[in-house]
Amino acid sequence: MNLFVYHTPEEVPVGEVPDCAIAIDVLRATSTIAAAFEAGAEAIQVFSDIAELMQASEQWPIEKRIRAGERGGARVEGCDLGNSPLDHTPEHTEGRRLFMSTTNGTRCLQRIQQAPIVITSALTTRQATVQFLLQKQPQTVWLVGSGWEGTYSLEDTVCAGAIAHGIIVATGQTFATLAGNDALVAAVALYLHWQDQLLALMEQSTHGQRLLRLDNTVDLAYCAQLDILPIVPIQQEAGVLVPQVIQ
């Protein structure tokens, strides 16, 4: 297995496709996607454009859909929800399809959607992602951070490092055989330095600071949790995710 880390979708090589691509947006899209599946969402359909989300969701009965739109950390007018993992409970989400558009995470997913295997990951689902990769054994894996409007984000890179470190611990591999690029080594180093202080790391990140200015400490605390959900959201068709529970 050869792992590559790309800090933003814009860094992804043009004209190449890996065996498996992993979208990471810890704050908050991929954390929210996993939480929605834990709450019983039947599928999640992602859009980079809000108008397309509205048009597609019109084809579904109101009682079977949830519109979730976020820009700049706030809910988009006309949507039921924003982008918080804590919005999703079985009472609200079970059996419904989530139509979702966020500032960064859904854009990342669309950039990598041509790979044969596309999944999403977050700190909350790190170990499930590791187990999925060990079961599937894809030769080439891209760990793609969503960043913030084209720039690097600490929380996505530390999650990529956490996943890679999990593979190292499980297999005994070294960077010599595992690392596809230098960014993978740096991501693992970042994780090892902050692994016991993930919330503190997020509070230092620029996106974490945005949430703090919105008085949103609860989402930060939730997204900083490691290995709490046994779920791997996997692309069933372009732009549509379904849950895979990892035993």
Side-chain angles (χ1 to χ4, degrees):
M1 198 183 302
N2 216 211
L3 305 185
F4 295 76
V5 168
Y6 298 105
H7 298 118
T8 68
E10 289 75 16
E11 290 185 11
V12 169
V14 177
E16 297 182 30
V17 178
D19 297 307
C20 176
I22 304 175
I24 302 170
D25 186 7
V26 172
L27 293 175
R28 296 166 282 170
T30 57
S31 299
T32 299
I33 286 168
F37 280 136
E38 175 69 8
E42 63 94 11
I44 297 174
Q45 198 161 339
V46 298
F47 302 84
S48 58
D49 184 80
I50 290 290
E52 291 179 5
L53 180 157
M54 293 297 187
Q55 183 177 11
S57 63
E58 282 294 330
Q59 310 306 312
W60 288 74
I62 293 175
E63 68 274 10
K64 290 293 185 180
R65 75 181 187 216
I66 300 173
R67 290 168 167 169
E70 170 266 327
R71 291 294 184 271
R75 180 177 63 84
V76 173
E77 185 177 353
C79 288
D80 306 302
L81 301 174
N83 185 24
S84 172
L86 299 176
D87 285 339
H88 295 280
T89 63
E91 294 75 20
H92 188 267
T93 304
E94 189 170 16
R96 303 172 77 182
R97 175 167 294 218
L98 185 63
F99 294 83
M100 184 177 190
S101 181
T102 70
T103 305
N104 303 293
T106 51
R107 180 173 53 87
C108 179
L109 269 166
Q110 291 197 325
R111 187 65 177 263
I112 62 175
Q113 67 182 11
Q114 298 306 316
I117 301 173
V118 176
I119 65 173
T120 70
S121 190
L123 289 169
T124 55
T125 62
R126 187 279 304 256
Q127 189 56 38
T129 302
V130 169
Q131 290 176 250
F132 177 88
L133 292 174
L134 293 175
Q135 291 170 10
K136 297 293 185 181
Q137 288 293 316
Q139 181 57 42
T140 305
V141 179
W142 290 357
L143 298 145
V144 185
S146 297
W148 177 265
E149 297 184 343
T151 62
Y152 172 96
S153 66
L154 283 170
E155 66 276 2
D156 294 345
T157 302
V158 82
C159 182
I163 293 166
H165 184 258
I167 298 291
I168 291 170
V169 170
T171 65
Q173 285 184 265
T174 66
F175 289 134
T177 58
L178 189 70
N181 60 2
D182 289 352
L184 186 282
V185 180
V188 173
L190 181 70
Y191 171 68
L192 289 174
H193 184 78
W194 288 94
Q195 61 183 317
D196 298 321
Q197 304 174 74
L198 292 171
L199 178 56
L201 173 69
M202 290 194 197
E203 289 172 343
Q204 302 306 313
S205 73
T206 53
H207 200 164
Q209 288 290 314
R210 290 184 192 93
L211 292 177
L212 289 174
R213 286 194 292 272
L214 294 169
D215 294 323
N216 191 342
T217 58
V218 291
D219 277 0
L220 274 175
Y222 178 89
C223 295
Q225 297 177 98
L226 194 64
D227 304 337
I228 62 169
L229 299 178
I231 292 171
V232 172
I234 186 167
Q235 182 174 263
Q236 183 181 59
E237 58 185 89
V240 179
L241 300 165
V242 295
Q244 181 169 326
V245 178
I246 302 298
Q247 303 296 336

